[in-house]
Amino acid sequence: MSHTACCRSPGSTPPSAALPEPLRTLTALLAAESEAEAAAAGVEPGDLQQAVWLRLLERLDGGPGMPRDPADWLRRAVRAEARRARRTVVRELPYTADGPGTDAGPEGAALVAERRRALRTAVARTPVHCRRLLTAMLSPSDPTYREIAGELGISQGSLGPMRSRCLGCLRRMLAAEVAVPAHRGKER
């Protein structure tokens, strides 16, 4: 279901009907251009459309105003947003539970095992409520928030803030253990 279909009440006018005439004529062109560019950019056509509408609204609000040739501007804006999306996709790396070094053979496996051991050791030194929460979250069965909350006997709504506090505690603990770099150069 499209965003516009789910956000409208039945019988309401489509959003394009509320737009000024010059912009209303661009709706079909924007949809077609976004559909053509989306697959190559690795994004949804609706995401491209939203980005271009936002660009246009920013331009109309405080910028140079309506473009002289709106259709040409729209085509260029869609392509620019598609390029931006492609650059973003290239920079983003997928998250893997094991982290970097997982495909480096025995050395990578040893590094992953050492990281896990260090994490488990640090978690074991946290306060009891944090230890229980973090251990549940690190479970290989990958439980949901509802399952973790049930296991710990707390409300699901308090799980997020508690997780944040416990991760902050763990982060401070680990940061304190990192060796301070030695002073380089001449001492005065």
Side-chain angles (χ1 to χ4, degrees), residues 29-39 44-46 48-49 52 78:
L29 177 61
L30 177 58
E33 290 289 328
S34 297
E35 188 71 38
E37 294 288 335
E44 295 291 320
L48 279 178
Q49 290 177 32
V52 172
V78 169

Side-chain angles (χ1 to χ4, degrees), residues 65-127:
M66 190 69 172
R68 286 187 200 157
D69 184 358
D72 182 57
W73 179 90
L74 184 130
R75 287 184 189 97
R76 286 185 288 113
V78 169
R79 287 182 182 93
E81 286 300 322
R83 281 192 305 274
R84 185 198 55 74
R86 278 192 295 272
R87 284 191 309 268
T88 302
V89 168
V90 168
R91 283 192 309 251
E92 291 176 349
L93 299 175
Y95 173 78
T96 60
D98 295 333
T102 57
D103 57 351
E107 297 87 6
L111 288 172
V112 168
E114 177 59 25
R115 282 190 202 107
R116 285 184 180 155
R117 186 200 58 73
L119 180 62
R120 297 272 181 202
T121 301
V123 166
R125 293 190 329 260
T126 60

